[in-house]
Amino acid sequence: DSKRWYRYHQLFQQLLEHRLRETHTIEEIAQLYRRAGMWCAGQNLVDEAVAYALAAGDVDQAVRIVESNRHSAIYEESWQRLESWLDLMQRRDINAYPELLLLEAWILHKRERLDEIPARLDLAEVLLDEGNRTPESAAHMRGEIAALRSQQYFLRGDAAQTRTTARQALALAPPTRSYVRGAAWFFLALGCSMTAGL
């Protein structure tokens, strides 16, 4: 009620955790972690929220938290923070969610590790084809894929495909995804300039 934070000594923390394990079932403890994760997410404590969700064994919740915060973190250029969220995940979990694969692809784009991007995009497309997302969410992610693919086609010198995929990105990405649209416009312009003299 007084809005104060308290930090317990590590030994006291260990004692409390030991007591918790003695008095509660694994499922009860997981439920406490879920509730803590939801509370942290509501307080915009994203790092803690993701860690609690994963401690509860609830990867779906962790991915929802990351997905609801990844776009604002990209706008803010918080790349280390984005990487720290992915570092909490197992590789098998990243490979099971197109949202995480796209986050990883944007990080690779920022780090200029461009040859590692296509495999992430291919797998994200396969997962989207399985139809586990709403049509709107899937379309927005396909816009991200198209924007990143336009860069790949540009690097290969394929002007027509650069323009085609950039236009797909612009058709699918909502106005709120300015980083996706910005990349698409950039590569659309480059694709047009490649054939301007022909």
Side-chain angles (χ1 to χ4, degrees):
D1 291 340
S2 60
K3 309 284 189 207
R4 293 182 183 166
W5 289 91
Y6 295 93
R7 183 184 300 261
Y8 292 119
H9 190 281
Q10 188 175 3
L11 289 175
F12 186 55
Q13 177 187 350
Q14 290 171 358
L15 171 68
L16 291 175
E17 289 175 350
H18 177 74
R19 186 85 177 266
L20 179 68
R21 286 190 297 272
E22 283 185 335
T23 58
H24 292 76
T25 67
I26 292 173
E27 183 48 47
E28 288 171 334
I29 294 170
Q31 185 58 34
L32 289 172
Y33 278 130
R34 278 189 206 95
R35 288 175 52 201
M38 289 166 53
W39 184 88
C40 286
Q43 305 302 311
N44 203 31
L45 300 169
V46 180
D47 300 23
E48 294 87 347
V50 172
Y52 278 130
L54 293 173
D58 194 340
V59 178
D60 287 341
Q61 181 183 347
V63 173
R64 283 192 299 274
I65 294 165
V66 169
E67 179 62 10
S68 64
N69 290 279
R70 77 176 173 99
H71 303 292
S72 59
I74 289 173
Y75 295 135
E76 294 165 6
E77 299 269 337
S78 299
W79 298 105
Q80 287 183 324
R81 189 172 190 209
L82 289 159
E83 285 183 289
S84 73
W85 297 343
L86 279 185
D87 288 343
L88 293 171
M89 308 281 182
Q90 299 290 326
R91 180 78 247 171
R92 68 176 182 271
D93 295 329
I94 295 171
N95 289 345
Y97 292 88
E99 299 89 342
L100 299 181
L101 289 163
L102 285 171
L103 171 54
E104 191 172 42
W106 285 110
I107 291 170
L108 292 169
H109 169 78
K110 179 65 176 178
R111 301 288 183 239
E112 297 184 11
R113 292 165 51 189
L114 306 180
D115 58 328
E116 299 175 50
I117 294 175
R120 272 67 173 193
L121 301 182
D122 293 344
L123 184 52
E125 280 189 318
V126 168
L127 293 170
L128 287 174
D129 288 342
E130 292 175 357
N132 296 330
R133 302 295 179 278
T134 65
E136 181 182 51
S137 174
H140 294 174
M141 284 189 270
R142 288 186 194 283
E144 292 183 64
I145 291 169
L148 289 163
R149 288 226 191 264
S150 67
Q151 178 185 42
Q152 298 292 313
Y153 287 120
F154 171 73
L155 293 173
R156 293 181 202 161
D158 189 333
Q161 280 298 99
T162 300
R163 293 191 304 270
T164 298
T165 52
R167 287 187 180 112
Q168 287 171 352
L170 291 168
L172 294 170
T176 54
R177 303 277 166 85
S178 58
Y179 69 97
V180 178
R181 297 182 66 80
W185 278 115
F186 180 73
F187 287 106
L188 177 58
L190 288 177
C192 291
S193 72
M194 291 167 75
T195 54
L198 298 179

